[in-house]
Amino acid sequence: MGYSTDETVKKYIGWVDEKVAKKSDEFFKQEENSLGGKLLMAKYDKMNEVNRQESEKKIQLAIAEIHRTVSEGKQISVSELSRNTGLSKGFFYKNEQVRNLLNEEKEKRDQGTLAQIKREVRDKSLEKQVELYQREIKRLLDENENLKKENRKLVRALNKLQKEVK
């Protein structure tokens, strides 16, 4: 091929690259020679811990705002919660802990609303039932009065007949 030595040919076909790569892997597998080694892991762990703490603060802020909104009797709205906390709307949907609390509070509110509706329906039903009973009582009292009048007439007629028979 026109090269002066076999080493030149090996270099050009990548044989030397394989040798260098193998030696490099062996060198960097030793922890003291790894790029960053323990120092990078410590920074990574610290970064993870800081991120976890920030996430926990956000979660606590969101939970506190949800509880405050519920205690004030306001309608729970992700837009309003986002505006009040400065957290994104997506945070309230994506964070499982916050989303579960949000769903629980909405369900409680819906159950309270449903219970209120049931009470109102029951009260209206009872009012209508009382009206029906009052009408029935009035009708029965009128009927009783009419029967008493008819009974007095019949008693007078009977007395008259008895006098005539004697």
Side-chain angles (χ1 to χ4, degrees), residues 10-166:
K10 289 179 183 177
K11 184 173 104 180
Y12 283 119
I13 63 171
W15 183 78
V16 175
D17 291 339
E18 289 177 19
K19 193 174 181 182
V20 168
K22 189 185 284 183
K23 289 290 184 185
S24 177
D25 284 345
E26 289 174 10
F27 179 77
F28 286 116
K29 281 183 182 173
Q30 299 170 2
E31 192 173 320
E32 65 272 1
N33 297 325
S34 68
L35 295 173
K38 292 181 182 177
L39 179 63
L40 277 181
M41 284 305 289
K43 285 183 180 179
Y44 177 77
D45 290 343
K46 185 172 182 177
M47 183 178 68
N48 274 345
E49 181 62 23
V50 168
N51 285 342
R52 190 192 62 72
Q53 288 174 352
E54 275 301 309
S55 180
E56 190 62 33
K57 285 179 186 176
K58 289 178 182 179
I59 290 170
Q60 294 306 319
L61 175 64
I63 289 172
E65 184 62 23
I66 290 169
H67 287 307
R68 186 188 65 75
T69 302
V70 167
S71 69
E72 290 176 359
K74 292 181 181 176
Q75 184 83 0
I76 297 175
S77 157
V78 171
S79 297
E80 188 68 27
L81 292 171
S82 175
R83 207 172 309 124
N84 292 344
T85 61
L87 300 170
S88 70
K89 292 178 188 176
F91 178 81
F92 289 92
Y93 294 112
K94 290 178 183 175
N95 186 288
E96 190 173 336
Q97 187 178 359
V98 173
R99 186 182 69 235
N100 287 340
L101 177 63
L102 195 59
N103 290 340
E104 286 174 16
E105 291 300 334
K106 283 184 176 183
E107 190 174 310
K108 283 180 190 175
R109 184 199 66 225
D110 291 344
Q111 286 176 350
T113 302
L114 185 61
Q116 178 63 28
I117 290 170
K118 284 181 179 179
R119 278 193 296 275
E120 289 174 7
V121 167
R122 187 187 65 229
D123 290 348
K124 288 285 185 187
S125 173
L126 289 174
E127 287 174 12
K128 289 293 182 185
Q129 209 170 14
V130 166
E131 284 179 28
L132 290 173
Y133 288 149
Q134 285 176 339
R135 281 191 216 140
E136 183 67 15
I137 289 171
K138 185 174 180 347
R139 186 190 66 76
L140 289 172
L141 286 173
D142 289 345
E143 184 181 338
N144 187 24
E145 193 61 37
N146 290 335
L147 289 172
K148 283 181 182 178
K149 286 179 184 177
E150 187 177 336
N151 188 28
R152 281 185 287 226
K153 285 180 187 176
L154 291 173
V155 166
R156 277 188 239 141
L158 179 64
N159 286 339
K160 206 182 213 185
L161 286 174
Q162 282 177 347
K163 284 183 185 179
E164 286 178 10
V165 170
K166 287 187 187 182

